[in-house]
Amino acid sequence: MKKIIKYVLIDILRNKIMLGYTLFLLLISVSIFNLEDNSAKGLLSLLNIILIIVPLVSLLFSTIYVYNSAEFLELLVSQPLKRRTIWLSLFADFRGAWLLRFLSALGSPSYYLKQRLPVL
Amino acid sequence: MIIASNVSKRFGKLKVLDDVSVTCGKGECIALIGPNGCGKTTLIKSILGMVIPDSGFITFNGKNISHDWQYRANIGYMPQTGRYPENMTIGQVLDMMKDIRGKSNEKPDEELVDRFELKDILHKRMRTLSGGTRQKVSASLSFLFNPDVLILDEPTAGLDPVASEILKEKIIAEKVKGKLVLITSHILSELDDLVTQVVFMQEGKLCFHKNIISLREETGEEKLSKAIAHIMLGKRTEK
């Protein structure tokens, strides 16, 4: 199980759309913090994005990814693996990848901001 | 080794497999042939446990395969079209399979990887590969772990003449070692020097399962393609 997680995670992280999406999120969060003088307001606008865009994109991307790798999944099913293992490792992959993206794109600017403004 | 008894499967209204019974033993090389959409791939998939038959059962080495997964360690499967995650490299795909299936005490059989010259392009991403190269990867994967049973779904489709010759040599070598090889193909001339038995399917039904020698004798044709044509034409005139 660990092995599937490792290799598929590398594949997902290298995906160009995912990279673009991370850059987009990073751009948005940095610009929001720079445009608003009140950082509490900035955080609120960021919250809107987190609540709407992030789940939507993760749902879409995961669906497309599973759909596209149908034949690869077929190959995995023909190996001595339980289906439960295959799906659980894919789930872990998506979870890991999205968490990593989220923290790097939205977490790091917020952390930077926190250091700049000790009030937060 | 593999015994399928009265296997039936329907997809909606379409009856894909209709009461199919086959027995496959060790050291045999069986050609599964028949027109498009006659249920060859479905039969293979039900042997692999990807399709669950509506009725009937399949045993592998005497054990029923339903709800079992460990038996697949003895099967090497080469799918009709191999598509892999786009950003994985060939080396990563090979390593992943070795991690999943490799036994520590056995060295994987990398003969095909060497002979297909995949070693030089291990760093290439799967998305940049041509269809033929992907087929080479699939073929190498299926032979990698020395399985007792090899299931090849259209193995030579998309391979260049040199590569398909290498693959054929490998199949013959494995057959001599006493492994069971199941091949589906539409290029009958390629099967001539490979197979020992022929299973012919039509519209989900098993028409016949014969030894190739007796098939040649019955039809009086030396070539498999002509023998099959002979039988198909004979069937048509009967109707």
Side-chain angles (χ1 to χ4, degrees):
Chain A
M1 187 167 166
K2 271 184 214 151
K3 291 129 190 179
I4 309 176
I5 295 180
K6 183 176 129 201
Y7 291 101
V8 176
L9 191 66
I10 294 173
D11 180 62
I12 294 178
L13 289 181
R14 269 193 188 151
N15 196 300
K16 275 189 190 130
I17 294 173
M18 286 280 281
L19 275 175
Y21 166 74
T22 317
L23 286 178
F24 168 73
L25 274 188
L26 194 68
L27 197 78
I28 283 184
S29 55
V30 169
S31 53
I32 281 177
F33 279 133
N34 282 332
L35 286 175
E36 297 270 358
D37 4 316
N38 188 346
S39 53
K41 265 189 182 171
L43 268 184
L44 207 64
S45 348
L46 206 59
L47 186 71
N48 283 325
I49 290 167
I50 292 173
L51 285 180
I52 297 167
I53 293 185
V54 173
L56 187 75
V57 176
S58 18
L59 201 68
L60 275 179
F61 178 86
S62 313
T63 316
I64 293 172
Y65 188 86
V66 171
Y67 184 77
N68 278 336
S69 56
E71 268 150 343
F72 176 66
L73 289 180
E74 226 167 71
L75 188 78
L76 284 183
V77 168
S78 76
Q79 309 300 321
L81 290 168
K82 274 191 228 169
R83 297 207 179 180
R84 194 187 160 79
T85 320
I86 297 172
W87 285 117
L88 274 181
S89 20
L90 262 192
F91 178 66
D93 278 327
F94 289 130
R95 205 177 44 186
W98 288 112
L99 203 68
L100 218 65
R101 296 288 178 195
F102 180 78
L103 288 182
S104 59
L106 296 174
S108 54
S110 315
Y111 184 72
Y112 173 72
L113 190 82
K114 197 183 162 197
Q115 280 181 328
R116 229 178 27 178
L117 303 167
V119 192
L120 255 168
Chain B
M1 255 183 128
I2 299 176
I3 302 168
S5 342
N6 309 92
V7 174
S8 297
K9 176 76 187 172
R10 18 169 96 249
F11 289 135
K13 274 186 181 173
L14 191 73
K15 205 159 195 182
V16 197
L17 291 178
D18 190 1
D19 212 21
V20 175
S21 304
V22 210
T23 311
C24 317
K26 266 195 167 174
E28 287 173 1
C29 183
I30 299 171
L32 256 178
I33 47 186
N36 294 119
C38 69
K40 295 174 302 230
T41 304
T42 313
L43 182 63
I44 283 179
K45 283 189 173 174
S46 44
I47 291 175
L48 283 165
M50 292 184 204
V51 169
I52 295 158
D54 296 335
S55 63
F57 58 90
I58 298 168
T59 59
F60 187 93
N61 279 341
K63 268 164 88 184
N64 197 331
I65 61 164
S66 63
H67 305 295
D68 191 9
W69 50 278
Q70 271 124 341
Y71 75 98
R72 287 191 215 120
N74 299 315
I75 297 181
Y77 170 57
M78 177 178 170
Q80 209 162 8
T81 47
R83 277 182 58 200
Y84 300 91
E86 291 184 343
N87 296 307
M88 257 188 212
T89 63
I90 300 180
Q92 281 173 339
V93 172
L94 289 174
D95 284 343
M96 181 171 82
M97 284 301 163
K98 278 181 209 163
D99 276 352
I100 292 174
R101 285 185 70 159
K103 296 162 204 149
S104 48
N105 49 0
E106 256 179 65
K107 228 180 145 265
D109 178 10
E110 289 190 327
E111 191 194 332
L112 277 183
V113 183
D114 294 333
R115 294 192 66 188
F116 283 147
E117 286 158 6
L118 293 177
K119 283 258 157 83
D120 309 327
I121 49 169
L122 281 182
H123 59 277
K124 274 200 178 177
R125 301 271 170 88
M126 294 311 289
R127 107 184 93 117
T128 62
L129 298 184
S130 70
T133 322
R134 271 183 223 168
Q135 281 293 91
K136 285 182 189 172
V137 175
S138 307
S140 323
L141 279 182
S142 59
F143 284 91
L144 206 54
F145 305 100
N146 245 324
D148 295 335
V149 179
L150 284 157
I151 298 179
L152 312 169
D153 201 350
E154 308 254 351
T156 49
L159 286 182
D160 61 60
V162 182
S164 64
E165 209 49 48
I166 292 172
L167 186 62
K168 270 163 79 177
E169 277 171 30
K170 182 73 181 164
I171 293 172
I172 293 173
E174 295 297 311
K175 187 181 80 181
V176 171
K177 278 188 208 162
K179 291 177 180 173
L180 168 62
V181 187
L182 264 169
I183 308 178
T184 74
S185 183
H186 288 293
I187 313 164
L188 297 178
S189 53
E190 288 205 310
L191 296 173
D192 261 330
D193 35 346
L194 287 177
V195 299
T196 58
Q197 304 210 5
V198 177
V199 171
F200 187 80
M201 289 178 74
Q202 210 161 23
E203 288 162 23
K205 289 195 185 79
L206 196 103
C207 289
F208 61 82
H209 179 180
K210 275 185 188 138
N211 201 306
I212 192 153
I213 300 162
S214 65
L215 190 73
R216 280 186 180 137
E217 276 169 6
E218 272 171 40
T219 52
E221 303 278 2
E222 194 52 38
K223 289 263 177 206
L224 183 61
S225 47
K226 283 193 175 159
I228 295 293
H230 190 104
I231 288 175
M232 282 176 87
L233 288 175
K235 280 224 158 77
R236 228 165 261 168
T237 44
E238 270 170 36
K239 277 176 190 170

